[in-house]
Amino acid sequence: MKQVTKKVIDPFKELTEAEKRESELLAQIAMTIVKKRTSMGMTQTEFANYLGVSQAMVYKWESCSYNFTLKSLTKLYASLNLKLEITAITA
């Protein structure tokens, strides 16, 4: 019987620390949006209609593939009655 060797692939290996942090933040934002939408009992389409955007936009938000501006994120969070906090920490 041939032995199979499993290789662990680290998708973040080639990323800089800044890129890793950006990915973490986008994931946190996406999860916040998904949790809010599901707590409202809405599909992506219903949520999109509620916010006046396309379902494709909601998909982008929830899949971490939208690069928010501070202005767009603040507006979205305000629409959802969510509090946005940004903290700068000296490295």
Side-chain angles (χ1 to χ4, degrees), residues 21 23 31 36-37 40-41 61 65 70 74-75 85 87:
R21 183 66 181 137
S23 294
M31 284 308 304
K36 184 64 175 184
R37 176 178 63 78
M40 296 171 74
W61 294 340
S65 58
L70 186 55
T74 302
K75 181 179 176 182
E85 290 184 355
T87 304

Side-chain angles (χ1 to χ4, degrees), residues 20-72:
K20 289 177 185 177
R21 183 66 181 137
E22 179 183 343
S23 294
E24 290 171 0
L25 291 171
L26 285 173
Q28 289 174 3
I29 292 166
M31 284 308 304
T32 299
I33 294 168
V34 169
K35 286 179 182 178
K36 184 64 175 184
R37 176 178 63 78
T38 57
S39 75
M40 296 171 74
M42 294 185 182
T43 65
Q44 284 186 344
T45 301
E46 292 167 335
F47 195 60
N49 290 335
Y50 172 78
L51 293 170
V53 299
S54 68
Q55 182 274 328
M57 180 60 77
V58 173
Y59 173 82
K60 287 179 186 179
W61 294 340
E62 292 185 359
S63 64
C64 305
S65 58
Y66 185 75
N67 189 11
F68 291 94
T69 63
L70 186 55
K71 185 176 183 176
S72 66

Side-chain angles (χ1 to χ4, degrees), residues 78-91:
S79 297
L80 298 173
N81 199 30
L82 295 170
K83 184 178 179 180
L84 177 63
E85 290 184 355
I86 299 173
T87 304
I89 302 170
T90 304

Side-chain angles (χ1 to χ4, degrees), residues 2-20:
K2 186 176 180 180
Q3 187 175 7
V4 177
T5 305
K6 293 183 181 180
K7 185 176 181 180
V8 177
I9 299 172
D10 181 0
F12 298 104
K13 181 180 177 182
E14 303 297 322
L15 297 179
T16 65
E17 288 303 314
E19 291 169 327
K20 289 177 185 177

